[in-house]
Structure formats: structure tokens, C-alpha cells
């Protein structure tokens, strides 16, 4: 990111030298939200068929914060299903992208923690939203099974709120 509030996200591939794979947020369209307190603004993953880029953006006209998934195609980056989140509830950059089997899946926080998986045609929620804090979740795939690591509200201790690290997996 530069010092500006908004920035585009560029991807480069190492092939003995850095080769541009273009990016998203170029030419003034939706750019990622550079002025967020969170460190993560984008994440990149791949499977045998494609390269995927998840980006937190803010539309320049509407100021809506959105989480988007793009797939690298020959002509550039192609949006996969539009915005995943409710812009009024979303915590920018509190997300994790993982490949579960060969499908891109994203865990993100918007009031509660949600996990959605891209089928190639649309987003499918993996279960109901989970009560969790807005701390960064971590989603990984072990074979076809999604595992989610996140911070959940814990039991009160001496009248103070506590948090607990929880690990869950999706079994349907």
C-alpha cells in the first residue's frame, strides 16, 4: 500500500525475474481499503487449475466495504460472485482464504464469523454463523475438510470478559 487511503492490489510472479500478473483496483474502479487498522487487505491462494485473490475493497462512489474473490484468467482477474459480505456488518480485513479440496473458501467476520465456499457458480455457506470476536480467523483445508481457528468469547473471569482460541472443523 502507498500512503494514500486507497490503493490497487498488484500481483507479480517470480519466473527468474518478477513478471506482472496485473491486479485489481486499477483504473479507478473498486480499490482495496488501505486505511484499515487490520494488517490483512488481500490474500492469494491457488489450486491445480487457478490462482485466486481475495481483496478487501471500498467502492469509490458508494463507500461500501466489500470482500471480493477474483480468479486469474488469461485477460486479467475475473470477479467470482461479487461481494461476499454485508457492508454494514463487515469488519474489513478480518478474513482468511483457503483452498478446501479444490474450492476457494473464505472465513470472514461480520458480527459473527461466517464461512462460505465458492462452487464455481455461487457462494455456499458452511453452516450457521459462529459467535466469535473480530480477531483474524484462520481457515485451512486438510484434504476436503475445512478447519477454522478463531477467537471466541470465553467464560467471565473475576467479572472480566475473557477469550478462548477455538479450533473447529466442518463435517456437514
Amino acid at each position: 500500500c502507498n500512503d494514500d487511503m486507497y490503493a490497487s492490489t498488484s500481483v507479480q510472479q517470480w519466473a527468474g525475474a518478477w513478471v506482472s500478473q496485473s491486479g485489481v483496483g486499477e483504473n479507478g474502479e473498486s480499490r482495496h481499503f488501505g486505511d484499515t487498522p487490520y494488517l490483512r487487505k488481500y490474500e492469494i491462494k491457488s489450486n491445480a487449475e487457478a490462482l485466486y485473490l481475495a481483496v478487501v475493497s471500498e467502492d469509490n462512489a458508494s463507500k461500501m466495504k466489500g470482500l471480493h474473490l477474483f480468479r486469474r484468467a488469461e485477460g486479467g482477474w475475473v470477479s467470482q460472485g461479487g461481494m461476499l459480505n454485508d457492508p454494514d456488518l463487515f469488519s474489513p480485513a478480518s478474513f482468511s482464504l483457503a483452498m478446501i479440496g479444490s474450492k476457494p473458501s473464505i472465513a470472514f467476520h461480520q458480527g459473527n464469523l461466517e464461512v462460505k465456499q465458492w462452487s464455481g457458480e455461487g457462494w455456499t455457506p458452511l453452516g450457521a454463523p459462529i459467535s466469535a470476536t473480530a480477531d483474524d480467523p484462520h481457515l485451512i483445508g486438510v484434504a476436503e475438510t475445512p478447519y477454522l481457528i478463531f477467537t471466541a468469547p470465553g467464560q467471565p473471569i473475576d467479572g472480566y470478559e475473557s477469550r478462548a482460541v477455538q479450533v473447529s472443523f466442518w463435517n456437514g
Side-chain angles (χ1 to χ4, degrees), residues 98-115:
M99 299 306 294
I100 310 297
S102 62
K103 297 178 182 176
S105 303
I106 299 181
F108 59 98
H109 193 274
Q110 57 178 23
N112 287 304
L113 187 57
E114 296 190 27
V115 179

Side-chain angles (χ1 to χ4, degrees), residues 85-103:
N85 61 288
D86 177 333
D88 293 327
L89 300 175
F90 182 55
S91 299
S94 184
F95 74 95
S96 180
L97 171 64
M99 299 306 294
I100 310 297
S102 62
K103 297 178 182 176

Side-chain angles (χ1 to χ4, degrees), residues 24 36 49 55-56 59 103 116 148 170:
V24 297
T36 175
E49 294 83 40
V55 179
V56 174
D59 181 89
K103 297 178 182 176
K116 292 184 180 179
L148 183 60
W170 177 251

Side-chain angles (χ1 to χ4, degrees), residues 2 5 14 29 42 88 94 98-99 108 122 130 135 139:
N2 55 25
M5 183 173 169
W14 180 255
E29 75 262 14
Y42 49 84
D88 293 327
S94 184
M99 299 306 294
F108 59 98
I130 299 169
D135 297 330
L139 182 65

Side-chain angles (χ1 to χ4, degrees), residues 2-147:
N2 55 25
D3 290 333
D4 192 354
M5 183 173 169
Y6 303 104
S8 60
T9 300
S10 298
V11 177
Q12 300 216 359
Q13 176 183 13
W14 180 255
W18 289 107
V19 178
S20 175
Q21 297 298 309
S22 70
V24 297
E26 298 169 341
N27 305 321
E29 75 262 14
S30 181
R31 295 176 178 224
H32 86 65
F33 189 50
D35 195 27
T36 175
Y38 299 99
L39 297 176
R40 183 177 297 138
K41 297 164 186 69
Y42 49 84
E43 194 166 358
I44 193 165
K45 300 285 182 193
S46 66
N47 61 18
E49 294 83 40
L51 182 64
Y52 292 92
L53 175 65
V55 179
V56 174
S57 64
E58 182 171 325
D59 181 89
N60 290 338
S62 67
K63 302 300 181 199
M64 288 194 320
K65 295 179 288 288
L67 178 58
H68 302 269
L69 182 70
F70 296 89
R71 179 183 49 80
R72 179 75 175 128
E74 191 170 317
W77 294 93
V78 178
S79 178
Q80 305 295 287
M83 185 170 24
L84 279 87
N85 61 288
D86 177 333
D88 293 327
L89 300 175
F90 182 55
S91 299
S94 184
F95 74 95
S96 180
L97 171 64
M99 299 306 294
I100 310 297
S102 62
K103 297 178 182 176
S105 303
I106 299 181
F108 59 98
H109 193 274
Q110 57 178 23
N112 287 304
L113 187 57
E114 296 190 27
V115 179
K116 292 184 180 179
Q117 189 169 66
W118 179 249
S119 68
E121 295 183 14
W123 289 101
T124 303
L126 296 183
I130 299 169
S131 179
T133 67
D135 297 330
D136 287 333
H138 188 70
L139 182 65
I140 61 170
V142 178
E144 299 289 324
T145 304
Y147 281 81

